[in-house]
Amino acid sequence: EAGVVQSPRYKIIEKKQPVAFWCNPISGHNTLYWYRQNLGQGPELLIRYENEEAVDDSQLPKDRFSAERLKGVDSTLKIQPAELGDSAVYLCASSQIYGSRGFAEQETQYFGPGTRLLVL
Amino acid sequence: GENVEQHPSTLSVQEGDSAVIKCTYSDSASNYFPWYKQELGKRPQLIIDIRSNVGEKKDQRIAVTLNKTAKHFSLHITETQPEDSAVYFCAANQGGRSQKLVFGQGTRLTINP
């Protein structure tokens, strides 16, 4: 079974430029997560999708970050414009949630390799 | 919201010895506690998890214990090997039924040959 796929693996941009990350979850997984991992810290959730619906985006900086998962499969995360403080690893994860929202048991989240972003 | 504290931040043990990493959480509704291992430049990988209906779970050299009353859980690695060297993260789900994981700050484990 193929794991979570992310691209690009590395990205270097100048501040104020836009950047986009792509994620393809494990086949059949209905839930997709975007995390940001700063150096030496644990992942922090940015946004969670159940199918094509964003059900938790409370920690997404909406002034410059946006995300979409139009067909409930692949997802893109965009930053425009990027700032120096956005340098981090952006991780995508997926899981298969059974049951209705708010009543489903927590299922294992599988992570992709991440995109390492450096903003100069 | 949930807050997860993890310690120590770094741990160095001799090959063959045991390693223990501890985490505390704040949300009494949390009921799922995974542990992830992350090697340098690679993705976090689940090594073991525990749900609140059990107090201990073991998988070969790895075990996790959970104390719901005290709101803490621990990872135990026995007979450590050089390939166990990595950063380990604990996590807890916020709000019980929520699918949101809150991660600890990580523990860099080094196994000395």
Side-chain angles (χ1 to χ4, degrees):
Chain A
E1 177 182 274
V4 177
V5 179
Q6 289 187 246
S7 69
R9 293 294 312 279
Y10 305 92
K11 189 75 178 179
I12 301 174
I13 61 172
E14 294 188 344
K15 63 181 180 181
K16 299 185 182 179
Q17 295 299 306
V19 64
F21 314 124
W22 176 80
C23 173
N24 181 243
I26 292 174
S27 178
H29 280 191
N30 58 3
T31 303
L32 183 145
Y33 313 76
W34 281 105
Y35 288 88
R36 177 168 58 190
Q37 185 176 27
N38 292 312
L39 190 64
Q41 297 184 21
E44 293 179 313
L45 181 69
L46 293 174
I47 189 169
R48 175 169 71 89
Y49 282 92
E50 285 187 17
N51 299 305
E52 57 277 342
E53 183 181 0
V55 296
D56 184 355
D57 63 356
S58 57
Q59 293 186 248
L60 188 73
K62 298 180 184 63
D63 57 335
R64 298 184 300 107
F65 286 65
S66 64
E68 61 183 15
R69 192 186 186 201
L70 294 177
K71 296 184 178 179
V73 181
D74 295 2
S75 176
T76 56
L77 177 68
K78 298 178 181 178
I79 308 175
Q80 183 171 9
E83 297 179 353
L84 296 178
D86 295 332
S87 295
V89 175
Y90 290 83
L91 293 164
C92 179
S94 71
S95 64
Q96 178 62 34
I97 304 298
Y98 302 96
S100 57
R101 190 187 315 161
F103 297 92
E105 288 290 333
Q106 180 75 49
E107 297 296 334
T108 300
Q109 295 185 23
Y110 296 90
F111 284 85
T115 296
R116 187 174 298 275
L117 173 67
L118 179 59
V119 182
L120 302 175
Chain B
E2 175 70 283
N3 183 47
V4 177
E5 299 287 336
Q6 181 173 349
H7 57 95
S9 56
T10 60
L11 179 61
S12 183
V13 301
Q14 289 298 121
E15 183 179 354
D17 288 350
S18 297
V20 180
I21 302 171
K22 299 180 180 181
C23 288
T24 61
Y25 62 99
S26 60
D27 187 349
S28 57
S30 295
N31 59 7
Y32 176 71
F33 309 91
W35 286 88
Y36 284 84
K37 175 183 180 182
Q38 187 174 30
E39 297 178 34
L40 188 62
K42 298 191 175 181
R43 73 187 75 195
Q45 290 196 303
L46 180 77
I47 55 171
I48 196 167
D49 58 12
I50 191 168
R51 298 185 188 272
S52 59
N53 56 348
V54 298
E56 183 174 359
K57 184 176 179 181
K58 191 173 182 181
D59 183 4
Q60 299 182 355
R61 296 186 298 108
I62 294 173
V64 57
T65 58
L66 171 65
N67 184 327
K68 284 197 67 180
T69 302
K71 287 192 274 188
H72 68 70
F73 56 112
S74 300
L75 177 71
H76 304 253
I77 306 174
T78 59
E79 301 173 18
T80 54
Q81 302 169 1
E83 52 266 35
D84 294 330
S85 295
V87 178
Y88 291 80
F89 293 98
C90 64
N93 64 334
Q94 179 172 294
R97 293 293 187 177
S98 163
Q99 300 299 326
K100 176 177 179 178
L101 290 180
V102 178
F103 285 81
Q105 295 297 298
T107 296
R108 180 173 299 280
L109 175 63
T110 302
I111 308 301
N112 302 308

